[in-house]
Amino acid sequence: MNVLILGGDGYLGWPTAMHLSAHGHTVAVVDNYLRRNICREVNAQALYPVPNLHERVRLWESLSGHRIQTYFGDLAQWDVTADVFRDFQPEVVVHYAEQPSAPYSMLDRRSATLTLNNNLQVTANMVFAVREFCPDAHIVKLGTMGEYGTPNIDIEEGWLDVEHKGRSHRFMYPRQASSLYHTTKIMDTDLLWFYVRTWGIRVTDLMQGPVYGVFTQETGHDAGLLPFFNYDELFGTVLNRFVVQAVAGYPLTVYGQGGQTRGYLNLRDTLSCVRLAMENPAERGELKIFNQFTETFSVNQLAEMVCRVGKDMGLGVTVQNLPNPRKELEKHYYNPAHTGLIGLGLEPTLLTDEVLGELMEFVLSHRERIDKSVIFRGVKWA
Ligand code: USQ
């Protein structure tokens, strides 16, 4: 299939591009280096330098024989989006092209506006382009488990049957996010659902939890194929951060009481989930929603695991409970369903001591590059 990956340079976008091209698809990526530029601006460089997209594509082709086509440009600009869609004629569109950091979206008015404008405009342009140039294309959109928040009832997979005064109706599961970034994902989902109902487009929305890890089947070929590995407060996800902190001898930064529980998954599983969603497309006029994670952990549980595995490797790991810079529940009920992707054949890569140890060994090999000053800056929500 012709697969167009929006945001194909990112932490998830680049490994997805290699994975899908290794599976025989014709892949093109679009990016405008938004993440690279923001990271430069806020001085949040990844653990090791990453080749640019031209170099990555060249390296991948020389090692695998698979060619990935590249487009550069800002998909929030209609002309850019229209040119790419007209030229490539995608059958599947995988949409990662968003500002992905919750803390960055809460930094100041400018970062908030950038997040709102980018995320919503790119989603809208993608919908308009699908309608105009490839109305039968299947959109696979990366949403987030954070759309649901942490309600005091079980979280269903996308939809909720509500009975009210003797009548019943199926609604989208109620959503209440706890950052502006997560709120833009809710707005994306609403936009997509509106156009699914109105224009009959085909959409799968993946409610993904925080991702950890760096290795995939395809990165084994060469270190130059590895994705970004951020450990700073803005762009690093919590487990990747804890591993770097353990290696750097920096006390693990548990926010507040540490009871915040989320559904996590290994980067390898993100790629499998996206491929499975693609291979089982939504029909015209259908919005499929899957909860994309493999296991739940509280922040304290993650910290305990990192301490244990770190100590086994001879690292002196300690934990520090910091006043929580975010506004979120620190102790809560959390029981989200996640059977859909398993039903399609996902075989989870669980977070074992071995998986964590492998990641820690990798970070140890880059130990001298860790810049402790970017680990905590305390971007406050309130
Ligand atoms: N946390 C700490 N200490 C830290 C960093 C984070 O205790 O040093 C806590 C946070 O307060 C939060 C939890 O760990 O309760 C997860 O934080 P995170 O930074 O790993 O994840 P989050 O900000 O929610 O965002 C990440 C990705 C985002 C994705 C989301 C999935 O950056 O793109 O959508 O995970 S989810 O969390 O399910 O919404």
Side-chain angles (χ1 to χ4, degrees), residues 320-333:
Q320 189 184 12
N321 286 81
L322 296 167
N324 196 342
R326 305 187 183 194
K327 201 157 179 184
E328 60 185 357
L329 294 181
E330 294 174 7
K331 233 176 127 185
H332 57 88
Y333 181 76

Side-chain angles (χ1 to χ4, degrees), residues 100-103 143-147 181-182 185 208-211 233-239 241-242 245 253-256 258 260-264 299 324 326 328-329 334 375-376 381:
S101 160
T144 168
M145 283 298 291
E147 294 187 32
Y181 152 73
H182 288 96
K185 293 277 188 173
Q208 183 170 250
V211 180
E233 177 180 317
L234 298 180
F235 286 91
T237 49
V238 62
L239 184 57
R241 279 167 58 67
F242 282 2
Q245 293 168 8
T253 55
V254 170
Y255 294 166
Q260 303 92 309
T261 304
R262 303 286 183 267
Y264 290 85
V299 175
N324 196 342
R326 305 187 183 194
E328 60 185 357
L329 294 181
Y334 201 62
I375 290 178
F376 186 74
W381 263 226

